[in-house]
Amino acid sequence: MKRLTKEQKKALFYKDLLDLRWNGQVLFNVIICLLVTIIFLWYPREDLPISFVIGFTFAMVTMFTQGNLVVEEREQGTLRRLQQVGFSIKDVLIIKMFVSFLVTSVLVFLFLLFYRFDPTISFNLLVLSFPVIIIMLLAGTFVGLQAKNTIEVSLYGTPIALFYLFLEGLLMNHQLGYMQWIALFPNYHLYYGVTSDSLLPYLLTPYLWMIIVVIVFTWWFMNKMKTNKF
């Protein structure tokens, strides 16, 4: 297949970006995320940790934006047309990941802007958030490829979002020394690592999760490509 030009990639990127204006589900999730952020800024911050607000963004915006962008192409029948003009399924998915990543980055930037600019917190947050964002992007891609429409994206994605937020809820009432199994999940390290003076102890688990998820997703995706089930 002929390699895409930069202009073709930019055209698809801008198309997906502009299409967000008409995607009601994505807009709804973004608005809910902004409302949660406003509540966090108004209410005592000890009751609602930073990791919950950021995690809410990853679960409700990153994953569902990606899932809806992916399934939208299949729902509208434009995926085959894109493939006919030279776009591979891999190209389409990667460009959509960039769009979802951009939306997430804007929301995180706004949060840091209105919260306060603390170099340590901002740096820790960005470093620890990156693997979680990648995981959620891949989860959204998986959900979008499995679903037939936006309703199924919500249906398949909701258990993942609820599980993530369930772990965040446990961490809000967590005391060190109890429920140590939570440390197996990236949430734990984002929760404690954001405000920590030493970042290194909290890096291994999130990035290990990211590597495992990338490997599993790549294996699943390659098998799906071999069977041509897109």
Side-chain angles (χ1 to χ4, degrees), residues 182-198:
I182 299 183
L184 295 172
F185 296 95
N187 312 55
Y188 175 93
H189 302 272
L190 184 60
Y191 181 87
Y192 287 107
V194 166
T195 54
S196 175
D197 294 329
S198 178

Side-chain angles (χ1 to χ4, degrees), residues 30-50 52-54 56 111 114-115 172:
V30 169
I31 291 170
I32 293 296
C33 177
L34 289 173
L35 287 175
V36 170
T37 302
I38 291 170
I39 292 171
F40 175 83
L41 295 172
W42 278 356
Y43 280 81
R45 295 171 188 177
E46 294 78 12
D47 299 334
L48 199 61
I50 298 174
F52 180 86
V53 180
I54 296 300
F56 191 88
F111 169 77
F114 288 105
Y115 174 67
M172 288 170 65

